[in-house]
Amino acid sequence: MNYDGLIERDNAVPLGAVNPSMLDALRRTLVTLWAMLIFLLVPAFFLSFQGSWMRKVADSLPIKEANSQLKSQAPQDPPADAKEKGNASSLDTKAEHSQ
Amino acid sequence: MKRSLTTSVILTLVMFLLLAVFVLAPQIARRANLVPAALWVIAMAIGTFLILHSGKVYRYRSAFFVIYGFAFVLVFSAHLIEGRGSMALSQETIARHEVPMCPVAIPQVIAPAVIKGIMIFPTKLIGGPYGGFVPVLFIWLVGVVTLGRAWCSWGCFFGGIDEGFSKVLRKPRLSTKSMHPRWRYLPFAVLIVTVMWAFAVLEPVYCKWLCPLKLVTEYRAITDLRTYVQAIIFITLGMGLLIILPILMKKRTHCALFCPLGALQSVVGLANPYRVRVDKDLCVSCGKCEQDCPTFSITKGEDKKSETFVTCVRCGKCIDICPAGARSYGLVGRPSTLGRAKLSSHIRGDRPNTLQRPLAALVGFVEEALDPSTLFLMTAILFGAILSGSFVLGAMWRLVNLAVHGTLLLH
């Protein structure tokens, strides 16, 4: 069986004979810039983690709860505090709208 | 790749400042005791320095990762017991959609959510003690972009468990030399089967029937024959893949041979530019990396030199143990920087004058700081340290509580 397709091949250019053409230099610069941006992405993401944008994304997702089988097996009347918690979630609000 | 003392110190300070913002500042805002957070930030900063200066990645990363994995299990289990009185999942909790979202469930959740608009995992879209589906999805997406498959060695909540057990024995009791490379495809098979099965029945079937991680997190309460069989399956798989096989084989068997998220990460993680590169000129074909790789991700190519498979988790073991120093982190499309002549050396020359010396030092710093290997390590350490922070701090508190009050539970 041939596994070549999934091997992360190294650049075939021998190290001692790298010819830094303009195109090569440009490609290397762009990949390095991409790597630096990735580094900056980490603090940027965690600084804004669970901000209002995340709730907006959650509210805008066209996803509703399923698990009809599980739901039908569940107790018909969950405790009052659970009801309150459930209603607070965007997921349940969406389910109500869809009904 | 070893870095100079100056570069290592400067980059460690950068890491310390970033961790102070992400780990210490939230504790200050909460007016919590700062001692555990300060200890963790200092420990991570020291770890950063040791990795950068010594060039040894696996040794220090592994210590962090195992602590993170076991801290997660301790905190998560204690949370469940405090909140529900048990680690077992009741039917009521499932019906209320109050199950914490698990990243390993993401592959089977995506297709029904995108195609049918249905969330098959019983969790909130947002909210609850662990954030719900959307925050976990975003953490995973950022992990994909920033780390690729390195998620499995720097960010995963569970990876430290089988890695921890794989370090119990000094030598393997079960040889893996005769294992055929096709075993590496097993997680891809598990991924395809669970995604299709989940889509067909619109249920998180992997979580219900296969997930070995239920051994260390939450599981369905045993109420009938079906849940009894499910319990037997997860206990068997969990004991085998997370504990017994890692100990005997000294491999991360769950991550390498079973985890569907790892398989998905191998594919979507190709969007990440970092790879472990081999300098074929330096490689002496000793086979040590192939033999010791914890995830069976290295094979010998046609030229007898080592090649890295797409399932590589960037753990750094091959980099540490390579006797020829032929392996390093690199960027896709760029050859390994190991053997390349440095511009700073040219500037310094044989007899540097007063202008050449500082200029060479400055250029040398920029070269080392922007080296792909350094950029990867800074990114991975930062991601892992932020994600692990709350679990490690929580575990510290609970262990102190155990010593003082005799219980891991806080209330």
Side-chain angles (χ1 to χ4, degrees), chain B residues 291-310:
Chain B
Q291 190 184 323
D292 282 7
C293 174
T295 55
F296 310 98
S297 299
I298 300 174
T299 44
K300 273 188 184 154
E302 287 161 9
D303 55 357
K304 301 289 177 195
K305 309 274 182 180
S306 65
E307 286 185 330
T308 314
F309 194 56
V310 75

Side-chain angles (χ1 to χ4, degrees), chain A residues 23-70:
Chain A
L23 205 63
D24 260 2
L26 180 68
R27 195 189 59 196
R28 282 182 192 175
T29 310
L30 288 176
V31 177
T32 306
L33 282 174
W34 173 227
M36 288 169 71
L37 273 176
I38 281 176
F39 173 64
L40 293 176
L41 176 67
V42 177
F45 170 73
F46 281 107
L47 272 178
S48 64
F49 184 63
Q50 285 203 321
S52 58
W53 68 273
M54 207 168 261
R55 186 162 285 280
K56 278 180 193 163
V57 170
D59 287 339
S60 64
L61 285 177
I63 300 172
K64 61 181 187 298
E65 64 186 52
N67 275 330
S68 51
Q69 187 195 345
L70 294 170

Side-chain angles (χ1 to χ4, degrees), chain B residues 109-183:
Chain B
V109 160
I110 290 174
V114 171
I115 298 169
K116 297 208 168 187
I118 293 171
M119 166 54 59
I120 62 168
F121 194 87
T123 189
K124 306 279 184 209
L125 273 189
I126 193 162
Y130 289 90
F133 171 67
V134 173
V136 172
L137 182 73
F138 271 109
I139 287 176
W140 173 70
L141 283 173
V142 172
V144 166
V145 177
T146 57
L147 301 175
R149 181 80 205 251
W151 161 274
C152 305
S153 280
W154 297 86
C156 180
F157 309 105
F158 306 109
I161 299 165
D162 56 353
E163 180 157 341
F165 284 110
S166 74
K167 297 167 86 71
V168 169
L169 295 180
R170 288 179 72 88
K171 286 186 177 175
R173 292 282 186 272
L174 261 182
S175 172
T176 52
K177 278 181 187 169
S178 56
M179 256 182 80
H180 195 279
R182 76 163 65 98
W183 280 100

Side-chain angles (χ1 to χ4, degrees), chain B residues 52-99:
Chain B
L52 294 177
H53 190 52
S54 70
K56 298 284 179 194
V57 180
Y58 182 80
R59 186 187 298 170
Y60 305 110
R61 182 207 60 82
S62 189
F64 147 76
F65 200 52
V66 172
I67 291 171
Y68 171 28
F70 283 90
F72 170 79
V73 171
L74 194 152
V75 170
F76 188 77
S77 310
H79 261 160
L80 294 179
I81 294 168
E82 285 164 0
R84 300 181 197 152
S86 164
M87 282 167 71
L89 263 174
S90 68
Q91 201 61 48
E92 202 176 66
T93 311
I94 295 171
R96 284 190 214 151
H97 286 239
E98 286 180 348
V99 183

